[in-house]
Amino acid sequence: MSEPIDLKRIDRVARCFDSTGRLLRWPSRRADQLLALWVVWSYLPADVQMSEPEVSAMLRDWHGYEDFALLRRELCDLDLLRRTPNGRVYRRVTHEVPEEAEALLARLENTGNQEGEVISPPKGY
C-alpha cells in the first residue's frame, strides 16, 4: 500500500511553475526539487537521442530562472536522463512515475486548462 499524497507539498511545488508548466523558481527543499524534476523529466521526449545543445535548449525553454545546466545535471544524477561518456548523446530514461509526481502533473495540467491556456510542452511520459 502506498503512502497518502501530501497535497500541501503538491500545492507548494506547483507554485514553482507558471500556468504553462514552466519552472519559475527552483524549490528550496530537496524533496520538492526532486518532485519538480519529475515534471521536467516528463517534458523530455521518450526514446529519442538528443545532443547536449538540444537538451539545453529544451531545458532553457522550460524554466525561467536561467540555470538549465543545474536541471541537466540533476536529471543525470538521478538517472532520469543518461548521457554517453563523452556527453554528446542524451536519452531520457524510462521510469514509473511516482504517485506524487503524477498528482503534481495533473495539478499543473488542470491549472493551465482552468485558465484557458495549453500546458506546453505536452506531457509524454
Side-chain angles (χ1 to χ4, degrees), residues 8 14 21 29 72 75 79-80 87 106 109 113 119-120 122 124:
K8 286 185 180 181
R29 298 177 185 179
R72 192 180 62 238
L75 289 165
D79 199 36
L80 296 173
E109 288 174 3
N113 291 338
I119 296 291
S120 175

Side-chain angles (χ1 to χ4, degrees), residues 12-17 23-37 65 70-71:
R12 184 174 60 239
V13 177
R15 286 191 298 269
C16 295
F17 292 85
L23 184 61
L24 297 177
R25 62 183 172 81
W26 189 235
S28 57
R29 298 177 185 179
R30 182 62 179 161
D32 293 353
Q33 292 170 0
L34 298 175
L35 190 55
L37 284 167
Y65 62 91
L70 168 74
L71 295 175

Side-chain angles (χ1 to χ4, degrees), residues 61-75:
D61 290 344
W62 299 335
H63 81 287
Y65 62 91
E66 298 304 320
D67 198 353
F68 63 90
L70 168 74
L71 295 175
R72 192 180 62 238
R73 276 192 310 273
E74 289 281 354
L75 289 165

Side-chain angles (χ1 to χ4, degrees), residues 2 12-13 16 36 41-43 57 66-67 77 88 93 105 116 120:
S2 61
R12 184 174 60 239
V13 177
C16 295
W41 170 88
S42 74
Y43 296 161
E66 298 304 320
D67 198 353
D77 288 349
R88 289 189 180 167
V93 179
L105 287 162
S120 175

